[in-house]
Structures are given as C-alpha cells and as structure tokens.
Amino acid sequence: MESDIRFYARRLAQEQVAARTALTLEARNRRLALVAKFEAKLAQLCA
C-alpha cells in the first residue's frame, strides 16, 4: 500500500499531464482544479 504522499504526488503528476493534453478548455479547467487540490494536499502532508 502506498503512502498518502506518494499517492497525491502520483495523482498530481497525472493530472498535470492530463491538463496539458486536454482537448477542451472546460476539461483543462477541471484538471487544473484537481492539480490545485492535490498540490494543497501535498503541501499539507509535507508540512
């Protein structure tokens, strides 16, 4: 079982790639919202 930090780091990387390759602006915005959420969670866990 992976740690929370590794999980959020992996998901952050996946969502960053998905945001870059999103086909529509709406999809990109949804992905960027998840990126921000995962970045905040990682910052909280690493603090």
Side-chain angles (χ1 to χ4, degrees), residues 23-41:
L23 298 178
T24 66
L25 183 59
E26 189 176 285
R28 182 177 184 273
N29 289 337
R30 282 194 311 267
R31 297 296 190 168
L32 289 175
L34 286 172
V35 165
K37 182 178 177 180
F38 292 139
E39 284 176 336
K41 189 64 174 177

Side-chain angles (χ1 to χ4, degrees), residues 3-47:
S3 71
D4 287 344
I5 293 173
R6 286 187 60 161
F7 170 79
Y8 286 110
R10 180 175 52 81
R11 290 292 290 132
L12 174 61
Q14 289 172 338
E15 291 302 330
Q16 287 170 331
V17 169
R20 282 194 299 271
T21 60
L23 298 178
T24 66
L25 183 59
E26 189 176 285
R28 182 177 184 273
N29 289 337
R30 282 194 311 267
R31 297 296 190 168
L32 289 175
L34 286 172
V35 165
K37 182 178 177 180
F38 292 139
E39 284 176 336
K41 189 64 174 177
L42 266 177
Q44 180 184 20
L45 289 171
C46 292

